[in-house]
Amino acid sequence: MKSFSIEEIAVLVNGEQIGNCNDQINAPEQIENAIKGNITFIGSSKYVGLWEKSNASLALVYEGIPILPGEGKAFIKVKNPDLAMAVLLDAFEPEPPFFETDIHPTAVIDKTVKLGKGCKVGANSYIGRNVVLGDNVTIYPNVSVFDDCTIGNETVIWSGTVIRERSKIGSHCIFHSNVSIGSDGFGYRPSEDGRGLVKIKHIGNVVIGNGVEVGSNSCIDRGKFSSTILGDGCKIDNLVQIGHNSVLGKCCIMAGNSGLAGSVTLGDGVIIGGSASIKDHVTIHSGAKVGAGSGVIADVQAGKSVVGYPACDSREKMKQWVALRKLGRN
Amino acid sequence: MKSFSIEEIAVLVNGEQIGNCNDQINAPEQIENAIKGNITFIGSSKYVGLWEKSNASLALVYEGIPILPGEGKAFIKVKNPDLAMAVLLDAFEPEPPFFETDIHPTAVIDKTVKLGKGCKVGANSYIGRNVVLGDNVTIYPNVSVFDDCTIGNETVIWSGTVIRERSKIGSHCIFHSNVSIGSDGFGYRPSEDGRGLVKIKHIGNVVIGNGVEVGSNSCIDRGKFSSTILGDGCKIDNLVQIGHNSVLGKCCIMAGNSGLAGSVTLGDGVIIGGSASIKDHVTIHSGAKVGAGSGVIADVQAGKSVVGYPACDSREKMKQWVALRKLGRN
Amino acid sequence: MKSFSIEEIAVLVNGEQIGNCNDQINAPEQIENAIKGNITFIGSSKYVGLWEKSNASLALVYEGIPILPGEGKAFIKVKNPDLAMAVLLDAFEPEPPFFETDIHPTAVIDKTVKLGKGCKVGANSYIGRNVVLGDNVTIYPNVSVFDDCTIGNETVIWSGTVIRERSKIGSHCIFHSNVSIGSDGFGYRPSEDGRGLVKIKHIGNVVIGNGVEVGSNSCIDRGKFSSTILGDGCKIDNLVQIGHNSVLGKCCIMAGNSGLAGSVTLGDGVIIGGSASIKDHVTIHSGAKVGAGSGVIADVQAGKSVVGYPACDSREKMKQWVALRKLGRN
């Protein structure tokens, strides 16, 4: 377990120390649950009342809050508590899981695979023909990577994740547990007798940029032909569905349980709220925001916020909700 | 296959036998599909009409229904057919999958792992450093459990499930297939140049009480710091998302496809309907119910029922829906 | 990589060649991204303007569009561009992932398993006692199939998928990555002291017909008793939940993130839109359609279209939405 002196933490977060305490700080903790040796956070005045009873040794405090630490405890006052907290979490981050050997003997790695320097492949993982891994790629146990994929430097793939053939994955990406990349898209045509459905083959692939993170149990389908594309820096939460031939620009955010049907286009910096779903062939332009739980059935202009089902301008939808509430009370 | 005489079943469910039948009873089945040797259920009068044509040998019948079994068939009349059915399902439960050896030779178990008495670990599973398993823990094939986890007595983990570092799991829990426990929460801050997103490290963990069941492909993220907590007896369905630092009290129920964003608090006995989603930092107090498909954006008082998007009191929402229906017909 | 001459493609899609080009055609690509050697599609007049700048060598063109290919490029004019594209995708489909040996030595296959002719089982997969595989079944790496399952001819199971005991799977099915079949349904009863929940055992199974496709990370729970049933030709997208004892007729379609609670009945050819959810014990009769994002709480008649939450007739719901929009603007 890592630990720091209060002086070391003050330097790390570039803050001003107030009060004194000799405790070595070993973990961040919420103000109610903190024990001696913990650091906690007072980012707004609503936490002030909890401080006196807290057993924390130290708190990061927003400089605008007029509060003193009291006897035997200390504060570090900072301009930006959120940033300071992020820096602190970096400092306290534990080591990742232990690999006894870089390439576990039970991993099945085709002889044609190219492994960069410093790659780790965990127990019982499978890597198919002609896969190319960059440097320092980490593949945890029970992962499957299929033929002809490329995976960039420093990318991390957690257990249960499956990456299908011909996917191109950038560097510094993270795939959490049980992610499914590159499965066939969902497309059928009526059979000739009109009584059944015939599968449309999906021969495209998935192309993912650098710095992309994909949450647990999310799915990104391959293109029917051509590619399903995620731009650099996209952040995808858990249980998200991205349909075939969707194209996401840079730094898009999709929250948990949201979904894109096929051939959806997102510009740069688009934010999709949790459980929202977007109809096929819709374009959501750069900087637009879709509220949680919304259903988007038409294009959204750049920078606009929409919400509801069917989604419309957020302010207009608020008025509709207010009107409906009044109507229900008549 | 297990089988019982009608007399044995009458004793099991504490019911009164009516009519006689010598068939040995080998399985429960729905009244329309039942064959000779099956037991079926007549819990309400709507099933009475199907009995005459049913080939079942036996039925569990609610004692308030005035019906007779007819020639060569039998009834067992009971006060509480749901309870009797549950008892019967316990009796007919088949053996769990067969383990040829308790610890399969292809399982990769770090030498520091502590295994309690009677533990079973299936083929190709992975258990990392310093994991502690209680007694009679069953880990099916292709499971991954990472460093420093503890798992209590009698807990069962099905295939494809991934449990990340430092998770604390209670006793008598069940994790169904492809569950993801302890992945990083979803949190980013703007980069200094304002043009990208920087990952906030998630160094907390997941703490799960006793008797908790988690459905297939559900996700429970670790805390940013501190813990994401599920109290004793929580029952989580399939494809459910529980965001970082959410805290669930005892015996909460979350139905399929529902989700909690980050830092949601549920009291004891809260029921979340299917596909409902709860905004971050919301508190839903004990005994409250959230209807299926709802979007909850504000705290819910103890014992209250809310529904809709945005969710409000169920009766108020019903009035709104009625008013809207009228409005559409004008 | 497969390639075809323009003449060969004209024969394949039964179209009329216009213009000449000697390029060998090696892949389909979208009109904006196509390079020399690619074939693209002009299915409607909105793509006409992009053709002149496209680097594609060839396009499949709907015969009703009055456009000429220009110098050194060619068209194949067809009556039905969607069908022609499907035929072309079949032709260009790459080989599936390579198996060095049919049965990988790291696969754990119980000695009682019956393998049909031509079966392939990938690395680190597990097949339990008394499982019966038909001919030419393909099981990719890291799959788990439990005791007493049967799987029909030509069925393909991708990595991470888990199939629990006693499931009956038809022929020509596809299970994509991380699918969970046959986990326990979600059912509890209050404990005798009223303070907890007791698990109801689920001793039924899952029965899946022929030609069924199940998308990545979808879940189909076993029956409480009797079976959860999917009829021939059902197509299930990613992240779909099908609760215990639901019964789907033939050729039903369920789009991504949709869900059926327990004991839902779908007739033949029912279409469930993305993110829609259906209440337990509801029946949706043959040919009915449920719009994306809907919440269905009552039976739906054959052939009817419903939408919204609570779902009602699509035209009625449209009127409600129009009325609500007006109301918000007053």
Side-chain angles (χ1 to χ4, degrees), chain A residues 28-30 33 41 82-83 85-87 89-90 92-98 100 104 106 123-124 140-142 158-160 174 176-178 213 216-217 233 235-239 251-257 274-275 291-294 307-309 321 324-325 327-329, chain B residues 106-108 110-111 124-126 129 142-144 146-147 160-162 164-166 178-180 183-186 188-189 195-197 199-201 203 217-221 224-227 239-242 245 257-259 275-277 309-310 316-317 319-320 323-324 327:
Chain A
E29 185 50 90
Q30 290 171 341
N33 305 328
F41 304 91
D82 286 341
L83 179 59
M85 185 197 287
V87 168
L89 293 176
D90 282 352
F92 278 109
E93 190 188 16
E95 291 298 310
F98 176 72
E100 198 162 359
H104 198 277
T106 62
N124 297 320
Y140 283 103
N142 289 317
W158 285 97
S159 299
I174 303 172
H176 289 287
S177 305
N178 290 315
E213 187 164 350
S216 299
N217 295 73
K235 308 297 181 186
I236 309 298
D237 200 353
N238 300 337
L239 294 162
C251 296
C252 292
I253 293 176
M254 294 184 67
N257 292 96
S275 299
S294 301
V307 71
Y309 172 65
W321 286 337
L324 186 58
R325 204 191 306 159
L327 199 68
R329 287 172 180 168
Chain B
T106 63
V108 174
D110 192 88
K111 61 182 181 289
N124 298 319
S125 280
Y126 170 80
R129 201 149 69 153
N142 289 317
V143 165
S144 307
F146 283 93
D147 306 14
T161 287
V162 179
R164 290 275 310 273
E165 315 89 87
R166 302 186 304 284
N178 290 315
V179 170
S180 299
S183 296
D184 291 354
F186 193 64
Y188 305 89
R189 58 187 174 83
R195 298 174 62 184
L197 296 162
K199 180 178 175 65
I200 297 174
K201 296 290 167 59
I203 71 171
N217 295 73
S218 286
C219 302
I220 304 175
D221 281 351
K224 185 158 73 175
F225 58 94
S226 196
S227 304
L239 294 162
V240 170
Q241 151 72 352
I242 298 181
N245 294 99
N257 292 97
S258 63
S275 299
S277 61
Y309 173 65
E316 189 176 340
K317 185 59 74 180
K319 285 181 189 164
Q320 291 177 19
L324 186 57
L327 199 68

Side-chain angles (χ1 to χ4, degrees), chain B residues 148-327:
Chain B
D148 303 302
C149 286
T150 62
I151 297 178
N153 299 339
E154 311 285 341
T155 284
V156 174
I157 304 179
W158 286 97
S159 298
T161 287
V162 179
I163 301 186
R164 290 275 310 273
E165 315 89 87
R166 302 186 304 284
S167 299
K168 307 289 174 210
I169 313 282
S171 63
H172 295 88
C173 293
I174 302 172
F175 295 83
H176 289 287
S177 305
N178 290 315
V179 170
S180 299
I181 302 290
S183 296
D184 291 354
F186 193 64
Y188 305 89
R189 58 187 174 83
S191 62
E192 284 176 37
D193 66 2
R195 298 174 62 184
L197 296 162
V198 178
K199 180 178 175 65
I200 297 174
K201 296 290 167 59
H202 278 67
I203 71 171
N205 70 344
V206 172
V207 176
I208 291 180
N210 302 318
V212 171
E213 188 164 350
V214 180
S216 298
N217 295 73
S218 286
C219 302
I220 304 175
D221 281 351
R222 64 173 59 244
K224 185 158 73 175
F225 58 94
S226 196
S227 304
T228 303
I229 300 174
L230 274 71
D232 293 347
C234 285
K235 308 298 181 185
I236 309 298
D237 200 353
N238 300 339
L239 294 162
V240 170
Q241 151 72 352
I242 298 181
H244 65 88
N245 294 99
S246 289
V247 176
L248 286 72
K250 292 185 182 172
C251 296
C252 293
I253 292 176
M254 293 184 66
N257 292 97
S258 63
L260 309 181
S263 300
V264 169
T265 303
L266 305 187
D268 295 337
V270 170
I271 298 177
I272 308 287
S275 299
S277 61
I278 318 297
K279 192 171 181 286
D280 55 298
H281 294 278
V282 161
T283 296
I284 300 183
H285 292 278
S286 294
K289 292 182 189 176
V290 173
S294 302
V296 179
I297 62 174
D299 290 1
V300 179
Q301 292 170 30
K304 214 174 165 182
S305 289
V306 299
V307 72
Y309 173 65
C312 69
D313 177 83
S314 301
R315 281 163 305 181
E316 189 176 340
K317 185 59 74 180
M318 295 297 163
K319 285 181 189 164
Q320 291 177 19
W321 286 339
V322 169
L324 186 57
R325 203 190 305 159
K326 279 185 193 157
L327 199 68

